[in-house]
């Protein structure tokens, strides 16, 4: 397989890519530490591309602090928009295919039908806005790109909702969790598998794709499943969004339709509860 370079390698998805690459015996892949591969440092990026001459570039680097972003628009924009543009520009110059990770937060979340790739993006948070700006910056520099929008990402690595619930569930008798936001959890190991399948298939069906696990749920039901499947005896209380105010507004409904990615790659996607069981077995 041609050389693959991964930016944002120390984050949750980067660690999952390392796990899946090892499982699949993919050795021609380089996981770049942040100090060597700051996506805002164009000089260092040029050195990396000249050295590795990658056929594929996976961008897992992002500003993902959703609430903090409301006060740090310029920093979030630099990473999520300018960083994506920097990588796209170098990919265009080197004939490298870019695989870029985006988010369900590009949508307003006001509907009630699973979202397809061509639905209007209308972000309601700074994080969502800057991720959309990143998506829009890429085609100006290269036509060889895959943008994967994902949602509610978790795994055995880094900080995420599953690990937070397990921690608090062991410490508290009661957990109050939002029930009126609907979406789909995504096991980052499954997303990593999808990314590497795109590369292994050598597909040239470039464009935007949606990827999450199958099914839909609320944060409340997701938490219930975590406690049930991990045998954590904590009482879960459903609350409305307004009872748990946050600086950034979240989409109320961000279930994504995965038909495009499934048909293009002939991909079988696990149900979110099955993937959750798999993750919990590794924790």
């Amino acid at each position: 397989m041609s050389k693959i370079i991964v930016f944002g390698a120390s984050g949750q998805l980067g660690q999952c890519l390392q796990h899946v690459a090892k499982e699949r015996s993919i050795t021609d892949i380089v996981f770049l530490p942040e100090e060597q591969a700051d996506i805002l440092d164009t000089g260092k990026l040029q050195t990396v591309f000249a050295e590795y001459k990658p056929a594929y570039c996976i961008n897992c680097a992002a500003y993902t602090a959703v609430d903090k972003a409301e006060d740090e628009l310029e920093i979030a924009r630099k990473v999520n928009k300018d960083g994506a543009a920097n990588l796209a520009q170098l990919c265009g110059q080197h004939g490298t295919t870019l695989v870029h990770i985006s988010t369900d937060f590009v949508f307003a979340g006001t509907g009630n039908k699973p979202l397809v790739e061509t639905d209007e993006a209308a972000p309601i948070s700074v994080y969502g806005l800057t991720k959309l700006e990143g998506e829009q910056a890429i085609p100006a520099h290269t036509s060889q790109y895959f943008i994967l929008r994902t949602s509610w990402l978790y795994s055995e690595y880094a900080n995420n909702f599953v690990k937070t619930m397990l921690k608090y569930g062991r410490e508290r008798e009661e957990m109050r969790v939002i029930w009126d936001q609907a979406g789909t959890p995504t096991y980052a190991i499954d997303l990593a598998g999808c990314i590497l399948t795109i590369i292994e298939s050598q597909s040239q069906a470039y464009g935007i794709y949606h990827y999450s696990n199958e099914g839909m749920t609320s944060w409340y039901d997701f938490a219930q499943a975590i406690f049930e499947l991990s045998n954590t005896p904590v009482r879960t209380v459903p609350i409305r969004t307004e009872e748990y105010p946050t600086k950034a507004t979240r989409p109320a409904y961000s279930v994504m339709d995965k038909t495009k990615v499934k048909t293009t790659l002939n991909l079988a996607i696990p149900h979110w509860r099955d993937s959750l069981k798999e993750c919990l077995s590794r924790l």
Side-chain angles (χ1 to χ4, degrees):
M1 183 182 291
S2 301
K3 181 77 73 178
I4 306 161
I5 55 174
V6 181
F7 292 89
S10 64
Q12 176 172 220
L13 182 55
Q15 291 181 73
C16 288
L17 279 163
Q18 293 181 54
H19 178 99
V20 178
K22 189 174 180 181
E23 275 190 339
R24 296 191 185 185
S25 301
I26 298 171
T27 55
D28 208 5
I29 185 167
V30 179
F31 296 93
L32 297 167
E34 273 64 16
E35 59 271 16
Q36 185 187 347
D38 181 347
I39 62 172
L40 299 181
D41 188 332
T42 53
K44 280 187 178 178
L45 292 181
Q46 286 169 348
T47 301
V48 166
F49 274 76
E51 179 182 350
Y52 292 107
K53 299 178 175 58
Y56 292 89
C57 165
I58 304 172
N59 182 28
C60 302
Y63 182 110
T64 58
V66 176
D67 291 314
K68 202 175 174 186
E70 295 297 309
D71 296 320
E72 296 187 348
L73 168 62
E74 291 311 314
I75 298 171
R77 180 169 276 153
K78 274 193 174 73
V79 177
N80 292 341
K81 178 190 177 184
D82 299 346
N86 291 342
L87 290 178
Q89 188 168 18
L90 281 161
C91 284
Q93 291 170 3
H94 288 262
T96 303
T97 297
L98 175 62
V99 183
H100 176 76
I101 310 306
S102 193
T103 173
D104 59 326
F105 275 54
V106 300
F107 295 110
T110 54
N112 58 8
K113 292 181 180 176
L115 294 150
V116 296
E117 288 80 358
T118 52
D119 282 333
E120 181 188 6
I124 53 176
S125 66
V126 165
Y127 168 66
L129 172 66
T130 59
K131 289 299 287 181
L132 178 61
E133 289 174 343
E135 288 187 11
Q136 294 169 337
I138 290 168
H141 301 289
T142 179
S143 58
Q144 292 177 219
Y145 65 86
F146 293 90
I147 294 171
L148 288 177
R149 292 174 179 154
T150 192
S151 61
W152 299 23
L153 211 59
Y154 72 91
S155 70
E156 54 267 42
Y157 303 104
N159 295 317
N160 54 69
F161 184 78
V162 171
K163 290 172 78 173
T164 299
M165 288 299 103
L166 288 173
K167 178 180 183 293
Y168 288 152
R170 295 183 187 113
E171 296 170 355
R172 302 175 183 180
E173 292 182 0
E174 179 181 286
M175 287 293 298
R176 293 160 56 81
V177 188
I178 292 169
W179 70 267
D180 58 352
Q181 291 176 21
T184 310
T186 307
Y187 186 23
I189 290 284
D190 293 338
L191 176 59
C194 174
I195 292 167
L196 293 175
T197 296
I198 287 172
I199 292 171
E200 288 174 318
S201 73
Q202 299 187 329
S203 172
Q204 295 184 3
Y206 304 123
I208 297 175
Y209 289 84
H210 288 171
Y211 185 92
S212 68
N213 283 118
E214 293 283 29
M216 63 175 285
T217 191
S218 69
W219 290 109
Y220 167 76
D221 289 299
F222 188 21
Q224 278 278 71
I226 293 165
F227 298 139
E228 174 196 329
L229 295 171
S230 64
N231 296 311
T232 305
V234 60
R235 185 168 63 255
T236 317
V237 179
I239 61 170
R240 291 183 178 275
T241 297
E242 56 262 31
E243 295 178 74
Y244 187 78
T246 55
K247 187 152 275 192
T249 307
R250 269 76 170 165
Y253 182 95
S254 63
V255 179
M256 295 187 294
D257 186 304
K258 276 83 65 178
T259 301
K260 183 180 176 184
V261 76
K262 287 190 290 188
T263 54
T264 302
L265 296 175
N266 191 26
L267 200 65
I269 301 178
H271 189 270
W272 69 263
R273 273 186 69 100
D274 294 329
S275 288
L276 175 59
K277 285 179 195 171
E278 178 67 24
C279 178
L280 290 172
S281 74
R282 298 180 180 189
L283 283 167

